[in-house]
Amino acid sequence: MASKLFDSSALSTFCGSMATMLAAGMQTDEAAYMLMQNGENTRFHEVCSSLYADLVKGSRFSEAMENSGGFPRYAIDMVATGERSGHLERVLRNLETYYDEEDRLFAKLRGSVGYPAALLCIMAVILAFTVAVILPVFGDVYRGMAGSLTAGSFSSVGISTAIGWVAFIITVVAAVIALALVLASRSESGRHKVMRLFEKVSFTKKAMYQLALSRFTVALATLVSSGVTNEEAMHRAVDMVDHTELRAKLEKAAASMVDVDNPRSLTQAIAEHDVFEPLYARLFNVGTLSGSADAVLNRLSGTFFDDAVLQIDRSLDKVEPVLAAFLTIAVGATLIAVMLPLVGIMGSIG
């Protein structure tokens, strides 16, 4: 049994391959056997072998996925929905697209976080060199020129040293955090931990909300198209959401749909509880009235995902100038503080 979850690229490949073979008329066990032939002694082979073993015993595809240990909860729940609704191939195609986009998103995150991490490491080296090498040299120069440091000169050098060490410690801590995020984002389980962390950070909070909203919308589209009631579709889709803020809104919306005194429709519940922005809520309402609710939801899912990527780009674009400004201020303040006594000494000599 696989001990680690597939990453997004492997999930996209798996779902796309399974959908293609199912469209060609193959059964799930036959498709799993075909995939099992690729990549001996790899995690992909291990997971597909586990799938095939369970499927030939008569297990459902979603059950076999769960037993293999290689799939995230969201993918398992979506496949189970597809099996119940008879739209398994469509669900797998949706998952292929979703995980392909998620893989590109995390590749962007790794690159965007990796660059600041490298810059922070360089900053740490510069600050360490400044404090450990440059400042002692200035102290020796002062002693040679003035015999001994005056109280003011000594105080100034002490201040500059303190500034340098504080900046160095802050830089090292930030570099460690950035490197940890880069390493965590290499695994599927680590990515979800990073996402939960970003939910609490102000400048990435909106992006994580939009990403969770995209997941919910895809799930809702699949459930609506499967023929289940809107109340059941909403309930199942809410169960697939792990974003705290969005889940709270969705639970209130779901509760309003089964309110005994004043039950609301699916579109009314989503609009009244601000799940979608007003424009998107109206689009969903139009799609529902025209009988194309699932198509509208799929388009909205793509819009929400693209918005999440845009939000992340905007947030990360602010990191580089902030780091450059911090390095400039830290090094500049350190050197200015240590240069002031030299100016006084040169003035007294003149």
Side-chain angles (χ1 to χ4, degrees):
M1 180 176 293
S3 59
K4 296 181 180 179
L5 296 175
F6 275 155
D7 59 24
S8 297
S9 60
L11 285 167
S12 178
T13 299
F14 175 85
C15 293
S17 299
M18 287 294 297
T20 299
M21 286 185 278
L22 291 179
M26 298 177 67
Q27 300 298 314
T28 53
D29 57 340
E30 296 174 319
Y33 180 79
M34 292 291 292
L35 291 176
M36 187 179 67
Q37 304 306 307
N38 298 322
E40 293 287 341
N41 301 320
T42 64
R43 185 155 53 106
F44 192 88
H45 172 81
E46 185 181 0
V47 170
C48 292
S49 298
S50 175
L51 278 174
Y52 176 71
D54 281 349
L55 288 170
V56 295
K57 293 177 183 177
S59 297
R60 294 171 58 190
F61 186 36
S62 56
E63 293 173 344
M65 288 173 63
E66 184 170 9
N67 293 336
S68 73
F71 298 90
R73 186 76 254 168
Y74 178 75
I76 295 170
D77 290 342
M78 288 293 290
V79 167
T81 298
E83 288 178 312
R84 287 192 294 266
S85 64
H87 295 90
L88 180 57
E89 181 189 340
R90 181 189 300 176
V91 168
L92 288 170
R93 287 296 183 194
N94 287 341
L95 288 173
E96 177 191 19
T97 301
Y98 177 83
Y99 282 113
D100 179 61
E101 291 176 340
E102 186 178 78
D103 182 60
R104 289 189 288 108
L105 173 64
F106 276 102
K108 182 185 292 291
L109 278 174
R110 282 196 301 271
S112 300
V113 175
Y115 175 75
L119 183 58
L120 285 166
C121 290
I122 295 172
M123 288 170 58
V125 172
I126 293 173
L127 289 169
F129 182 79
T130 301
V131 174
V133 178
I134 295 179
L135 294 186
V137 169
F138 272 98
D140 293 340
V141 170
Y142 290 162
R143 289 186 180 90
M145 294 181 63
S148 64
L149 284 171
T150 63
S153 299
F154 183 82
S155 175
S156 181
V157 173
I159 291 172
S160 65
T161 302
I163 292 173
W165 279 115
V166 169
F168 173 72
I169 292 171
I170 293 174
T171 302
V172 169
V173 171
V176 169
I177 293 173
L179 289 172
L181 291 175
V182 172
L183 294 175
S185 64
R186 294 182 180 276
S187 68
E188 187 68 21
S189 58
R191 290 176 182 181
H192 289 290
K193 293 178 182 178
V194 171
M195 289 171 66
R196 295 304 294 268
L197 174 64
F198 282 173
E199 287 179 19
K200 303 175 182 179
V201 180
S202 59
F203 63 87
T204 55
K205 188 175 182 179
K206 183 177 180 181
M208 294 302 102
Y209 179 89
Q210 293 297 99
L211 190 61
L213 188 58
S214 175
R215 276 193 170 195
F216 161 75
T217 309
V218 168
L220 186 61
T222 302
L223 290 160
V224 167
S225 65
S226 67
V228 302
T229 64
N230 286 342
E231 291 78 8
E232 184 179 359
M234 185 67 166
H235 176 73
R236 290 185 187 176
V238 172
D239 287 341
M240 299 182 193
V241 176
D242 56 5
H243 188 282
T244 306
E245 180 184 351
L246 178 59
R247 189 181 180 93
K249 288 184 178 181
L250 292 173
E251 287 176 345
K252 292 179 181 178
S256 70
M257 294 177 66
V258 293
D259 189 306
V260 176
D261 297 326
N262 185 26
R264 315 302 287 169
S265 67
L266 177 60
T267 54
Q268 288 173 329
I270 285 178
E272 291 176 4
H273 291 85
D274 298 323
V275 177
F276 295 167
E277 293 180 14
L279 174 61
Y280 298 139
R282 287 194 292 272
L283 287 174
F284 178 41
N285 185 46
V286 171
T288 301
L289 293 174
S290 63
S292 56
D294 56 333
V296 172
L297 286 171
N298 279 319
R299 287 197 295 271
L300 288 178
S301 174
T303 299
F304 297 146
F305 192 94
D306 291 341
D307 186 53
V309 173
L310 180 62
Q311 293 293 332
I312 290 173
D313 283 342
R314 288 176 177 174
S315 299
L316 294 175
D317 285 344
K318 300 175 183 177
V319 172
E320 182 179 352
V322 170
L323 292 178
F326 175 76
L327 176 61
T328 302
I329 292 172
V331 175
T334 301
L335 293 179
I336 289 173
V338 82
M339 288 291 289
L340 290 177
L342 182 60
V343 173
I345 293 173
M346 295 300 293
S348 62
I349 292 175

